[in-house]
Amino acid sequence: MINRRPFLIRLACVLLVVGGGALLWLPFHTQMELDDWAVTLRERGTPARAVVVDQVTESGGNRSPSSSTMYFSYEVDGRTHAQEVACFEVCRAAGAEVPIWVNPADPGDFVTDFGQLSGHRGRVQGVLGVVGLAVLGVGVVLTLSRIRRRRATPPGRDRPRRVQPATGGRGYVGRGKRKRNVRP
């Protein structure tokens, strides 16, 4: 019977590395797509002016940092829309006017003049990226621990030899400070 356990363990380690790498790659890929979408909205979107209605900062407590959100109100095609924007780099005060470019197909989708897209995008991917980093780290450590170290000398040379008992039936006495296996 073939022992498949070492193979399955190695396969699981490699799958952890690949899965962790994919999860770590996801937020970077998502951010690049969002940046491209912001450029597209600026080029093809309908220009409008949004007013910051409110700004809310929620305390994260002991476990996470506080997060701020701006709430916008704007008009497109005679209809008033309200949307929120997460404050990452820029956070405007209530009453400030902000130039935006609105997606003609979806009036709830826009980009601000400071490059922030509407809504809270990429949060899930960010969390998955952190999980991917942890999984990748565990996978690399486990994979490296499964790799066998090569010997400095090729097999078959300088192998430890079997110790033969000394003459007279006495065991081997080492060169240490204490004598072992010696009868008084």
Side-chain angles (χ1 to χ4, degrees):
M1 185 169 152
I2 298 173
N3 188 1
R4 294 178 190 243
R5 186 172 178 173
F7 171 74
L8 292 177
I9 291 173
R10 286 186 191 127
L11 179 65
C13 291
V14 170
L15 288 176
L16 276 175
V17 169
V18 171
L23 287 175
L24 183 61
W25 172 78
L26 180 65
F28 294 107
H29 175 70
T30 301
Q31 188 59 47
M32 287 186 298
E33 284 187 347
L34 290 176
D35 290 343
D36 292 344
W37 179 240
V39 170
T40 303
L41 275 178
R42 281 183 182 224
E43 292 172 354
R44 300 181 187 160
T46 305
R49 288 234 173 252
V51 176
V52 179
V53 177
D54 195 12
Q55 176 191 4
V56 177
T57 302
E58 295 178 5
S59 174
N62 294 336
R63 298 183 185 251
S64 63
S66 60
S67 63
S68 295
T69 303
M70 294 181 288
Y71 293 92
F72 284 104
S73 176
Y74 56 97
E75 191 173 310
V76 176
D77 296 331
R79 296 187 68 193
T80 302
H81 300 278
Q83 190 60 262
E84 61 185 35
V85 173
C87 296
F88 290 115
E89 296 173 5
V90 177
C91 210
R92 304 276 170 91
E97 277 196 11
V98 178
I100 62 172
W101 290 266
V102 181
N103 181 358
D106 179 13
D109 187 19
F110 65 86
V111 64
T112 63
D113 67 335
F114 48 89
Q116 188 66 39
L117 290 165
S118 59
H120 294 277
R121 301 177 191 219
R123 280 188 176 180
V124 173
Q125 289 86 353
V127 171
L128 288 176
V130 171
V131 170
L133 181 62
V135 169
L136 180 66
V138 168
V140 166
V141 168
L142 289 176
T143 301
L144 291 176
S145 71
R146 301 299 303 170
I147 296 174
R148 297 179 190 248
R149 306 275 190 255
R150 294 190 186 259
R151 295 182 184 179
T153 58
R157 293 186 187 178
D158 296 327
R159 288 188 181 177
R161 295 186 183 168
R162 228 176 172 182
V163 177
Q164 298 295 326
T167 57
R170 300 175 87 192
Y172 173 76
V173 178
R175 299 179 111 198
K177 291 182 180 180
R178 295 182 185 89
K179 292 184 177 181
R180 289 174 262 175
N181 298 329
V182 176
R183 294 182 197 130

